[in-house]
């Protein structure tokens, strides 16, 4: 039987926009998602899980079920309704109350400043493609660092990679632009500069807590490891989603191999980047200051060579086999491989998490420690007899925890795991049908019901034994 270390965090993850609801309550400013969901999808973020009002219930459940850490994000537009300027006192009060309740319930808050929800007033002016918004983010971060002294673990951004991917490649996030690789890389770069500046500010102010960043790191494999063209496709896909942002985080620059790949992708697809000397000064200043790296891991991908036109079909409704992903000059994802996959065509491959952790350890030895900040199985829960018998979710989490245990055995420093998600939340471009939570939420009544996985997780947290 595999085990996890004592003092390991057994956490649950949430995000403000996916959980809080109350999108117009107590002075909260709009975000781009508000209108984008109304215009493009079949649901909105109301009421979500009503965490805005129900957080005492959720934190009590966390305490009862052995969850001793929670990922929470601050909704930037609850603090600054237009992204900067006048502070919304009711928003500040809400987060003080929330963080105090966390400590009352002995659940350590790991707080993210930006989880996909730039205020609309800034998003409409280019989001992080607009360099002015880097300054606004750093100012917002500084306010939060000073104000919320209860918080000891800060994350600047959640998933810089999927933000650029969703906004400018797949087009499933606002503003819904597709196939613009230059915007993808520029968004990655500018957000990493914002991260670096916020980290430097935090460390130089000598706050007593820790600060890091959360990256989604889907592992990329060549369909045929003996085929150099498939190997190249996997490398290029990895640069888009992983290596570019990891280099910025821990090297403070982009390696020659990374930039060769970026330049190839842009030569084929068009566009150019604005990379400035002062950007790299900021990145290099912060590269050794990150106290931790959060890794969000759900899936791996298998890539084969491809020279045709770019075409991406997003499977938003869980219609298995409905996905298509091919980028000109990069490669094509192959879904028909001997690996289980979800209804949303996410390939279930725990070895990919092990490989990604060990890749960070090997390629970026100045990392200090890792938390697995998101991992879990989203599917169409069957609510029966007041619960969900989610054995598939238990099996998924168990296999990934075993991969983490193996990585720790092999020398990686991993100090916690946050299941996505603590309770059911709404899932961005996938709606309410895709559920991940330990606790089933009846979105009509907002009642919570522990799933079978919640009881399994409680025993895991109590024993550190993966069984």
């Amino acid at each position: 039987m595999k085990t996890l270390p004592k003092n390991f965090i057994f956490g649950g993850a949430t995000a403000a926009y996916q959980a809080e609801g109350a999108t117009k309550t107590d002075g909260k400013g709009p975000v781009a998602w508000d209108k984008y969901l109304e215009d493009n999808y079949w649901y909105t973020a109301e009421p979500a899980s009503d965490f805005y009002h129900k957080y005492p219930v959720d934190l009590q459940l966390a305490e009862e079920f052995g969850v001793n850490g929670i990922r929470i994000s601050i909704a930037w537009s609850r603090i600054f309704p237009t992204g900067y300027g006048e502070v919304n006192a009711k928003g500040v009060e809400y987060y003080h109350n929330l963080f105090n309740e966390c400590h009352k319930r002995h659940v350590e808050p790991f707080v993210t400043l930006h989880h996909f929800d730039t205020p609309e007033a800034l998003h409409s002016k280019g989001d992080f493609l607009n360099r002015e918004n880097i300054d606004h983010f750093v100012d917002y971060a500084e306010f939060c660092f000073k104000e919320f002294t209860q918080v000891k673990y800060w994350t600047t951004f959640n998933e810089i990679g999927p933000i650029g991917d969703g906004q400018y490649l797949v087009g499933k996030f606002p503003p819904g632009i597709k196939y613009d690789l230059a915007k993808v890389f520029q968004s990655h770069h500018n957000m990493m500069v914002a991260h670096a500046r916020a980290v430097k500010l935090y460390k130089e102010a000598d706050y007593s807590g820790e600060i890091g960043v959360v990256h989604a790191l889907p592992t990329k494999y060549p369909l045929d490891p003996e085929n150099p063209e498939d190997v190249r496709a996997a490398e290029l896909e990895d640069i888009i989603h992983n290596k570019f942002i990891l280099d910025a985080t821990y090297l403070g620059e982009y390696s020659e191999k990374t930039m060769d790949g970026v330049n190839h992708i842009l030569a084929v697809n068009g566009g150019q980047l604005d990379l400035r000397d002062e950007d790299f000064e900021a990145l290099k200043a912060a590269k050794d200051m990150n106290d931790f790296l959060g890794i969000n891991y759900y899936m791996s991908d298998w890539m084969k060579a491809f020279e045709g036109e770019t075409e991406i079909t997003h499977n938003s409704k869980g219609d298995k086999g409905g996905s298509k992903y091919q980028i000109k000059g990069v490669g094509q994802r192959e879904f028909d491989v001997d690996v289980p996959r979800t209804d949303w065509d996410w390939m279930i491959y725990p070895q990919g998490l092990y490989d990604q952790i060990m890749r960070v350890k090997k390629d970026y030895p100045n990392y200090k420690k890792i938390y697995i900040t998101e991992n879990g199985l989203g599917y169409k829960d069957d609510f029966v007899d007041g619960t969900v018998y989610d054995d598939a979710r238990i099996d998924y989490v168990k296999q990934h925890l075993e991969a983490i245990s193996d990585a720790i055995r092999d020398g990686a420093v991993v100090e916690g795991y946050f299941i996505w998600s603590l309770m059911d939340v709404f899932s961005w471009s996938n709606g309410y049908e895709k559920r991940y939570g330990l606790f089933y939420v009846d979105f009509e009544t907002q009642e919570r019901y522990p799933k079978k996985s919640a009881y399994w997780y409680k025993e895991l947290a109590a024993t550190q034994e993966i069984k």
Side-chain angles (χ1 to χ4, degrees):
M1 184 191 307
K2 294 179 181 178
T3 60
L4 293 161
K6 292 191 181 302
N7 302 319
F8 195 81
I9 296 284
F10 291 95
T14 70
Y17 197 72
Q18 292 179 262
E20 286 178 357
T23 57
K24 299 175 183 176
T25 301
D26 289 340
K28 183 181 188 292
V31 300
W33 279 98
D34 295 340
K35 188 170 190 308
Y36 193 77
L37 289 173
E38 291 178 5
D39 292 348
N40 294 279
Y41 290 103
W42 60 98
Y43 52 85
T44 70
E46 290 287 1
S49 314
D50 195 26
F51 189 66
Y52 191 76
H53 300 104
K54 303 282 283 188
Y55 70 85
V57 174
D58 292 314
L59 288 167
Q60 182 177 349
L61 283 169
E63 182 181 35
E64 289 176 0
F65 281 81
V67 177
N68 61 355
I70 183 172
R71 283 193 67 210
I72 293 169
S73 72
I74 293 175
W76 185 349
S77 66
R78 282 204 196 280
I79 306 298
F80 294 100
T82 61
Y84 63 96
E86 188 173 347
V87 173
N88 176 31
K90 287 186 177 180
V92 174
E93 180 184 14
Y94 167 71
Y95 288 110
H96 274 301
N97 292 338
L98 172 55
F99 302 146
N100 288 339
E101 186 73 15
C102 287
H103 290 299
K104 173 185 170 183
R105 293 295 178 183
H106 311 290
V107 181
E108 188 68 44
F110 286 65
V111 179
T112 303
L113 291 165
H114 182 282
H115 194 126
F116 296 0
D117 55 352
T118 306
E120 164 62 20
L122 304 184
H123 196 283
S124 62
K125 295 179 181 177
D127 203 10
F128 280 92
L129 296 177
N130 181 347
R131 286 176 174 268
E132 288 182 7
N133 290 338
I134 298 175
D135 296 331
H136 292 316
F137 174 79
V138 175
D139 290 343
Y140 154 62
E142 183 175 25
F143 174 88
C144 290
F145 297 154
K146 289 180 178 177
E147 180 69 28
F148 301 115
T149 55
Q150 313 102 304
V151 176
K152 300 304 180 187
Y153 296 91
W154 288 102
T155 295
T156 52
F157 290 99
N158 178 79
E159 297 192 347
I160 286 171
I163 290 171
D165 172 88
Q167 293 185 168
Y168 308 118
L169 180 59
V170 180
K172 63 184 178 180
F173 288 8
I177 294 169
K178 299 185 76 171
Y179 312 155
D180 193 328
L181 274 300
K183 282 187 172 65
V184 172
F185 284 119
Q186 193 69 57
S187 173
H188 290 0
H189 173 78
N190 288 3
M191 293 182 81
M192 280 307 310
V193 172
H195 159 78
R197 286 180 51 190
V199 166
K200 185 169 182 285
L201 184 155
Y202 184 84
K203 301 305 282 189
E204 290 183 344
D206 200 28
Y207 291 103
S208 60
E210 298 184 3
I211 190 166
V213 65
V214 167
H215 291 323
L217 301 178
T219 312
K220 311 295 182 176
Y221 298 101
L223 184 64
D224 179 1
E226 303 302 318
N227 182 341
E229 292 184 348
D230 287 3
V231 172
R232 176 65 167 159
E235 289 174 349
L236 291 170
E237 173 80 346
D238 181 67
I239 287 169
I240 294 171
H241 296 281
N242 300 323
K243 191 166 175 54
F244 188 79
I245 53 178
L246 283 170
D247 279 5
T249 306
Y250 286 113
L251 302 183
E253 61 186 7
Y254 306 111
S255 71
E256 183 178 347
K257 186 173 183 179
T258 297
M259 282 312 301
D260 283 347
V262 172
N263 290 333
H264 164 77
I265 292 166
L266 296 183
V268 173
N269 292 280
Q272 57 188 14
L273 302 182
D274 175 16
L275 310 179
R276 303 179 185 179
D277 288 344
E278 59 264 31
D279 298 345
F280 293 106
E281 289 174 11
L283 292 174
K284 287 178 181 176
K287 71 182 181 68
D288 297 318
M289 293 181 174
N290 297 285
D291 293 305
F292 61 87
L293 171 66
I295 295 178
N296 291 357
Y297 177 84
Y298 293 95
M299 64 193 143
S300 293
D301 296 300
W302 280 261
M303 300 296 298
K304 62 183 179 181
F306 175 78
E307 294 301 331
E309 293 303 310
T310 299
E311 184 179 355
I312 301 173
T313 302
H314 173 55
N315 175 2
S316 62
K317 294 189 177 183
D319 299 325
K320 200 169 198 172
S323 301
K324 188 172 187 177
Y325 182 100
Q326 57 196 39
I327 300 178
K328 185 177 182 179
V330 176
Q332 183 180 62
R333 289 182 191 168
E334 177 57 60
F335 295 95
D336 189 16
V337 295
D338 188 22
V339 171
R341 56 175 155 156
T342 73
D343 287 345
W344 285 265
D345 297 318
W346 289 20
M347 315 301 276
I348 301 172
Y349 194 63
Q351 179 67 33
L353 176 55
Y354 174 88
D355 290 347
Q356 202 61 259
I357 293 169
M358 300 311 289
R359 177 255 198 102
V360 170
K361 178 180 181 294
K362 174 178 175 288
D363 292 353
Y364 306 100
N366 57 327
Y367 92 100
K368 294 184 176 72
K369 62 181 174 180
I370 290 168
Y371 294 101
I372 306 306
T373 37
E374 286 183 29
N375 175 251
L377 181 62
Y379 69 103
K380 302 161 188 172
D381 282 346
D382 189 13
F383 186 68
V384 179
D385 299 329
T387 189
V388 176
Y389 297 97
D390 53 345
D391 293 277
R393 179 172 291 116
I394 293 169
D395 187 56
Y396 177 101
V397 174
K398 176 178 180 288
Q399 291 183 50
H400 286 81
L401 287 169
E402 287 174 340
I404 295 166
S405 178
D406 290 345
I408 293 170
R409 175 201 65 202
D410 293 340
V413 182
V414 185
E415 296 193 356
Y417 174 92
F418 294 77
I419 191 170
W420 184 269
S421 50
L422 179 63
M423 65 291 190
D424 290 336
V425 297
F426 108 84
S427 191
W428 300 112
S429 57
N430 301 301
Y432 288 88
E433 294 86 355
K434 191 179 189 183
R435 293 174 177 267
Y436 285 88
L438 292 173
F439 305 105
Y440 183 91
V441 176
D442 181 329
F443 291 112
E444 295 294 323
T445 66
Q446 291 299 330
E447 290 298 313
R448 273 70 164 147
Y449 302 88
K451 302 177 189 178
K452 184 176 181 180
S453 57
Y455 293 97
W456 176 85
Y457 202 68
K458 180 178 182 178
E459 183 179 359
L460 169 75
T463 64
Q464 289 89 44
E465 296 176 347
I466 307 167
K467 58 185 178 181

